[in-house]
Amino acid sequence: MSEPLSSAQPTRTPDPRRWKILGLVGVAQLMLILDVTVVAIALPHIGADLGLSREALTWVVSGYTLAFGGLLLLGGRAADLFGARRMVLAGLLLFAGASLLAGLAANGPMLLGGRVVQGLAAAILSPAALSLVVTLFDGEERNKALGIWSSLGGSGAALGVLLGGLLTAGPGWPWVFIVNVPVGVLLFFALRVHLPPAQPAPERGRLDVLGAALVTAATGTLTYALVRAGDQGWATAATAGLVLAAAVLYALFVLRQRRARTPLMDVTLLIRRPVATGTVLILVATALMIMVFFLGTFSLQDHRGHGALATGLLFLPVAAATMAGATLAGRVIGRTGPKALGAGGLLLAAAGMTVPVLWEPTAALVAGISVAAAGTGVVFVVASATALGQIAPHEAGLASGILSTFHEFGASLGAAVVSSMAAVSITGTDSEGFDRGFVAGAVAAAAAALLTLVLTPRTPRSA
């Protein structure tokens, strides 16, 4: 049995407001995660009202997650340089404004523009909020706080589908965005009161905007290649060319980080075994989560004939399972260690995704994706605790940004892959594409479980 995960930092007097702050920034993070999946049920309605194609609908999801993920390293670096308090408050205001723009969208470009700005705001807010969690808590309390954080994030994805169904069936799809406005404003004023005063930054430097542009362009190119492959084919020269272009852009990003005076990220941080393992786990878990929600919502609505409200209600067990998996993992990871827990969560996800392929009824689909959601909830906690459990306070913003970056990249790639693999079912009437998507997810989860057993340290080493 592994030793409990604990911080490598010396004991210090805890902030008496830390749990209240965790609750507030947790709600903010919940809002950001909700916006990844809250549009899932609304997609068919958005497409009908604005005349958007399958590719355009995929970008309603991927445009947000791509901007979110591509700029998270920049946001994490900004939190370290300018202070987490400033970045949290600025991000909340920008997110509320962008949500209003998306909710008032009268055409596709306006909606996509709002989604991209939402992603930018989320990239400012999320790593700063997670940085506060890492720096406010120590030792076993940090493990519990990260468990709560992961539980909010994982369950938020499932609750987003429920909320999307309620709002789409009620006041209409624009309200899946407009609802963020009052929530964001209220959180802004509450956090202004409770957040500790900004501390002087331990270092000064510039933000690596070029590095952020390169990594965002690389992931955008790869995402476009995967989305396009659904219609144009996987084994084509165009798809291969786009994948090669993405690889070149990633290589240029790495070269930029090695040569920049103030790089966007410390590459040596990413190659630390706990951080590397955590980023791989968060990438896989988020991709699986998006695949489950994308396939589940389109299958329930377009193939099985359920309405938006019914689909949202059918996702209640998925939300409960995600929260249960994350909460349980947060409580036991200190005793079990991350290796077995992470592999077990991935195998559980793989088992759940095979159920809809073997059995056709709606009950089997809901049961299967609920089991898969419980598994991904476990993996979210393992990823966070493994990557962040040994991070020094001055690295908290950057490390949080790295982890959150791979979270959003996983969402972008998961949406792109599953949209392409299930294209025949999304645009048609049969379930062949849905089955193919679920099988791909199950195989990916099983392979990741084996990789987890190899990569994950039994007890994360001190940074």
Side-chain angles (χ1 to χ4, degrees), residues 174-358:
W175 283 89
V176 302
F177 305 112
I178 295 174
V179 72
N180 294 325
V181 179
V183 175
V185 172
L186 288 173
L187 284 173
F188 173 83
F189 287 108
L191 284 169
R192 278 196 66 185
V193 173
H194 293 291
L195 284 179
Q199 300 296 320
E203 57 176 320
R204 292 294 178 185
R206 295 180 179 179
L207 293 176
D208 183 14
V209 178
L210 176 58
L214 285 171
V215 72
T216 304
T219 307
T221 302
L222 181 59
T223 301
Y224 176 67
L226 297 174
V227 173
R228 188 179 183 277
D231 293 325
Q232 305 299 322
W234 293 84
T236 64
T239 300
L242 288 168
V243 172
L244 179 61
V248 170
L249 287 168
Y250 278 124
L252 290 174
F253 169 72
V254 173
L255 182 63
R256 167 67 182 176
Q257 298 314 290
R258 292 174 64 89
R259 294 187 175 182
R261 180 176 301 177
T262 55
L264 187 62
M265 65 173 289
D266 180 1
V267 179
T268 61
L269 183 64
L270 186 58
I271 63 175
R272 294 179 193 171
R273 190 176 174 188
V275 177
T277 302
T279 55
V280 171
L281 286 175
I282 204 76
L283 176 76
V284 173
T286 311
L288 293 174
M289 178 189 71
I290 291 298
M291 292 175 77
V292 165
F293 293 139
F294 204 98
L295 291 168
T297 53
F298 271 100
S299 178
L300 286 170
Q301 291 187 93
D302 293 351
H303 179 57
R304 301 167 190 267
H306 296 287
L309 179 58
T311 300
L313 293 174
L314 286 171
F315 266 83
L316 271 175
V318 182
T322 308
M323 184 175 295
T327 302
L328 178 63
R331 290 178 178 176
V332 305
I333 189 172
R335 298 192 298 272
T336 65
K339 184 188 290 284
L341 197 61
L346 287 165
L347 290 176
L348 190 63
M353 294 187 79
T354 61
V355 172
V357 180
L358 300 176

Side-chain angles (χ1 to χ4, degrees), residues 7-385:
S7 173
Q9 304 308 312
T11 304
R12 49 188 163 85
T13 303
D15 191 315
R17 299 166 295 181
R18 63 193 183 282
W19 292 106
K20 184 173 290 186
I21 293 173
L22 173 63
L24 291 172
V25 298
V27 173
Q29 177 71 2
L30 182 66
M31 180 174 63
L32 304 185
I33 300 300
L34 279 170
D35 262 60
V36 178
T37 57
V38 73
V39 300
I41 289 182
L43 286 177
H45 300 266
I46 293 172
D49 286 353
L50 301 184
L52 302 182
S53 66
R54 178 191 66 83
E55 287 190 10
L57 287 176
T58 302
W59 281 105
V60 173
V61 177
S62 294
Y64 173 70
T65 57
L66 180 61
F68 193 171
L71 299 173
L72 268 167
L73 290 175
L74 195 67
R77 180 68 173 161
D80 287 336
L81 292 178
F82 307 126
R85 175 190 169 91
R86 293 188 184 93
M87 294 299 101
V88 165
L89 296 178
L92 276 170
L93 287 182
L94 184 59
F95 191 84
S99 297
L100 182 61
L101 175 65
L104 297 177
N107 51 57
M110 186 176 176
L111 174 61
L112 293 177
R115 290 291 280 168
V116 169
V117 179
Q118 275 188 315
L120 168 62
I124 294 172
L125 171 57
S126 184
L130 185 52
S131 174
L132 286 170
V133 175
V134 174
T135 54
L136 286 172
F137 294 90
D138 275 321
E140 187 61 28
E141 272 198 350
R142 180 185 285 184
N143 286 335
K144 292 178 180 177
L146 288 173
I148 294 171
W149 180 269
S150 299
S151 175
L152 287 170
S155 60
L159 289 172
V161 181
L162 172 61
L163 181 62
L166 293 172
L167 293 174
T168 301
W173 67 261
W175 283 89
V176 302
F177 305 112
I178 295 174
V179 72
N180 294 325
V181 179
V183 175
V185 172
L186 288 173
L187 284 173
F188 173 83
F189 287 108
L191 284 169
R192 278 196 66 185
V193 173
H194 293 291
L195 284 179
Q199 300 296 320
E203 57 176 320
R204 292 294 178 185
R206 295 180 179 179
L207 293 176
D208 183 14
V209 178
L210 176 58
L214 285 171
V215 72
T216 304
T219 307
T221 302
L222 181 59
T223 301
Y224 176 67
L226 297 174
V227 173
R228 188 179 183 277
D231 293 325
Q232 305 299 322
W234 293 84
T236 64
T239 300
L242 288 168
V243 172
L244 179 61
V248 170
L249 287 168
Y250 278 124
L252 290 174
F253 169 72
V254 173
L255 182 63
R256 167 67 182 176
Q257 298 314 290
R258 292 174 64 89
R259 294 187 175 182
R261 180 176 301 177
T262 55
L264 187 62
M265 65 173 289
D266 180 1
V267 179
T268 61
L269 183 64
L270 186 58
I271 63 175
R272 294 179 193 171
R273 190 176 174 188
V275 177
T277 302
T279 55
V280 171
L281 286 175
I282 204 76
L283 176 76
V284 173
T286 311
L288 293 174
M289 178 189 71
I290 291 298
M291 292 175 77
V292 165
F293 293 139
F294 204 98
L295 291 168
T297 53
F298 271 100
S299 178
L300 286 170
Q301 291 187 93
D302 293 351
H303 179 57
R304 301 167 190 267
H306 296 287
L309 179 58
T311 300
L313 293 174
L314 286 171
F315 266 83
L316 271 175
V318 182
T322 308
M323 184 175 295
T327 302
L328 178 63
R331 290 178 178 176
V332 305
I333 189 172
R335 298 192 298 272
T336 65
K339 184 188 290 284
L341 197 61
L346 287 165
L347 290 176
L348 190 63
M353 294 187 79
T354 61
V355 172
V357 180
L358 300 176
W359 292 281
E360 175 68 19
T362 297
L365 171 65
V366 174
I369 61 178
S370 297
V371 171
T376 56
V378 170
V379 180
F380 282 132
V381 175
V382 174
S384 299

